[in-house]
Amino acid sequence: MDKEELLRQIEELLAFDGNETTINPDYLAYFTPEELESIKKGLEEKQEKMVEEHIEWLKGFKKNQ
């Protein structure tokens, strides 16, 4: 996958709250594809954990009603 596509995917992950996120494309000169893949993977893991935490909170909320 090329660096531009990785940057686009990272921007999408950062825009999880509905707010558009734009990263300066000049940063592509400083990151290797492997580094961008690592950033993307880290964001995916954080997003997954956040979803799991929200599900657990909702389960707890429903039990208290």
Side-chain angles (χ1 to χ4, degrees):
M1 187 174 310
D2 68 355
K3 291 166 98 177
E4 289 83 8
E5 176 62 19
L6 286 167
L7 185 66
R8 187 191 64 73
Q9 291 178 359
I10 290 168
E11 288 175 338
E12 285 180 11
L13 288 166
L14 290 171
F16 69 92
D17 61 356
N19 292 318
E20 185 177 329
T21 301
T22 304
I23 299 172
N24 185 336
D26 292 340
Y27 286 129
L28 291 177
Y30 300 101
F31 290 106
T32 65
E34 293 80 15
E35 290 170 322
L36 292 169
E37 283 282 356
S38 178
I39 292 168
K40 179 185 164 202
K41 183 178 179 182
L43 288 169
E44 289 170 335
E45 289 170 356
K46 286 180 182 181
Q47 194 172 58
E48 183 178 313
K49 181 176 169 75
M50 197 168 44
V51 168
E52 290 171 3
E53 289 173 355
H54 285 286
I55 290 171
E56 288 303 313
W57 180 84
L58 286 172
K59 285 180 184 176
F61 179 75
K62 288 172 73 174
K63 289 179 186 175
N64 291 331
Q65 285 187 340

